[in-house]
């Protein structure tokens, strides 16, 4: 699956978001730099099909299908959109996310989810006080289990001052699990991650080529078997020596 934004902009003069082009696809991480406090949220809404651009287009697998884009994407921790209220306890946030995902959300189910997330020690913490990488991993895990989700949009994970390599590891992990991941970050973070992001993409493309080559070799072997002349049948008849 591939979601493409082609020169999307918001505002008559692009004041809310200047013309921006990007692409994110299954198994990959795209890091895009956006400045100002509100633009990451605007871009997240556009990239997930939840807001129509004033200029440009958003397509999924080359099709203009905003409902499908919305159905397969989740926005993670975007300011003013999906960011949990700061003073909520983590256990309350997890319970709410389980409800959104259509999963059991009882106290027992919430406690089990926290254990599976390796976050039991933070259950009683306010979400605003949880370390950024831990917070992002938990919220991304919970978003990823919603029905039909194939793409994750991480909005401004660096606004909390964490090490970009920490939240990059979260994004890369979900890409390796097959999700399309878009990270909207500050120019400074994007620059810092440029080398590791390029290396990840090169390795992803190399792996795709390896799989394609293996598939071609398997198909060639199958065709060779089909085209191989049949072995002549043994027509020698047994003779009676008497």
């Amino acid at each position: 699956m591939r979601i493409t934004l082609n020169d999307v902009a918001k505002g008559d003069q692009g004041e809310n978001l200047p013309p921006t082009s990007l692409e994110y696809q299954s198994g990959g991480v795209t890091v895009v730099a956006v400045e100002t406090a509100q633009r990451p949220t605007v871009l997240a809404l556009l990239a997930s099909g939840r807001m129509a651009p004033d200029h440009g287009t958003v397509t999924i697998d080359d099709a203009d299908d905003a409902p499908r884009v919305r159905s397969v994407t989740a926005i993670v921790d975007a300011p003013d959109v999906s960011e949990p209220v700061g003073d909520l306890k983590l256990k309350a946030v997890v319970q709410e996310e389980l409800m959104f995902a259509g999963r059991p959300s009882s106290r027992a189910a919430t406690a089990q989810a926290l254990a599976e997330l390796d976050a039991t020690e933070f259950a009683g913490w306010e979400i605003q006080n949880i370390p950024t990488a831990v917070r992002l991993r938990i919220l991304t895990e919970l978003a990823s289990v919603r029905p039909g989700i194939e793409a994750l949009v991480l909005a401004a994970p660096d606004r909390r001052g964490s090490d970009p390599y920490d939240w990059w590891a979260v994004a890369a992990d979900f890409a390796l699990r097959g999700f399309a991941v878009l990270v909207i970050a500050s120019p400074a973070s994007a620059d810092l991650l440029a080398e590791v992001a390029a290396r990840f993409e090169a390795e992803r493309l190399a792996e795709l080529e390896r799989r394609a080559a293996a598939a071609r070799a398997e198909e060639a072997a199958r065709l060779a078997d089909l085209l191989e002349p049949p072995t002549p049948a043994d027509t020698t008849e047994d003779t009676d020596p008497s």
Side-chain angles (χ1 to χ4, degrees), residues 5 8-11 14-18 20 22 34-54 58 75 78-81 153 155-156 182 184:
L5 282 65
V8 297
K10 198 67 182 174
E15 61 272 19
N16 296 320
L17 183 76
T20 302
L22 63 89
V34 176
E35 295 185 278
T36 78
Q38 296 301 318
R39 286 177 180 174
T41 296
V42 172
L43 181 55
L45 291 169
L46 291 169
S48 62
R50 289 165 173 79
M51 177 185 286
D54 292 327
V58 179
I75 303 176
D80 303 320
V81 174
V153 180
L182 172 63
I184 304 169

Side-chain angles (χ1 to χ4, degrees), residues 10-236:
K10 198 67 182 174
D12 291 340
Q13 304 298 322
E15 61 272 19
N16 296 320
L17 183 76
T20 302
S21 296
L22 63 89
E23 183 174 278
Y24 64 114
Q25 57 189 305
S26 300
V29 180
T30 296
V31 179
V32 60
V34 176
E35 295 185 278
T36 78
Q38 296 301 318
R39 286 177 180 174
T41 296
V42 172
L43 181 55
L45 291 169
L46 291 169
S48 62
R50 289 165 173 79
M51 177 185 286
D54 292 327
H55 307 280
T57 60
V58 179
T59 60
I60 181 167
D61 296 331
D62 298 324
D64 181 5
D65 190 348
R68 184 185 167 205
V69 176
R70 286 195 299 273
S71 72
V72 300
T73 58
I75 303 176
V76 180
D77 204 22
D80 303 320
V81 174
S82 59
E83 177 183 40
V85 175
D87 60 0
L88 275 180
K89 300 291 180 61
L90 177 61
K91 58 187 175 183
V93 173
V94 171
Q95 184 176 43
E96 188 176 66
E97 288 291 335
L98 290 173
M99 292 174 61
F100 288 153
R103 298 199 167 197
S105 56
S106 64
R107 290 177 62 182
T110 300
Q112 181 179 347
L114 284 162
E116 292 173 352
L117 292 165
D118 196 24
T120 301
E121 65 178 294
F122 299 108
W125 287 38
E126 292 181 355
I127 188 74
Q128 64 190 352
N129 296 326
I130 294 175
T132 299
V134 176
R135 169 196 174 108
L136 186 64
R137 177 176 59 80
I138 291 171
L139 294 178
T140 307
E141 287 282 3
L142 292 168
S144 72
V145 298
R146 297 175 193 167
I149 294 302
E150 299 179 46
L152 300 160
V153 180
L154 281 53
D158 49 354
R159 71 186 185 276
R160 300 183 179 279
S162 65
D163 185 340
Y165 289 107
D166 289 342
W167 48 258
W168 164 264
V170 175
D173 177 59
F174 279 89
L176 291 172
R177 289 155 61 177
F179 290 93
V181 181
L182 172 63
V183 181
I184 304 169
S186 68
S189 292
D191 287 345
L192 182 65
L193 293 171
E195 183 177 345
V196 68
R199 186 164 60 248
F200 184 91
E201 179 65 6
E203 291 173 355
R204 184 186 74 85
L205 294 175
E207 176 62 16
L208 288 176
E209 177 53 32
R210 186 194 68 77
R211 293 179 185 178
R216 290 194 297 269
E218 183 178 344
E219 179 65 10
R222 188 184 70 83
L223 290 175
D225 287 342
L226 290 174
L227 297 174
E228 184 177 353
T231 302
D234 186 359
T235 58
T236 303

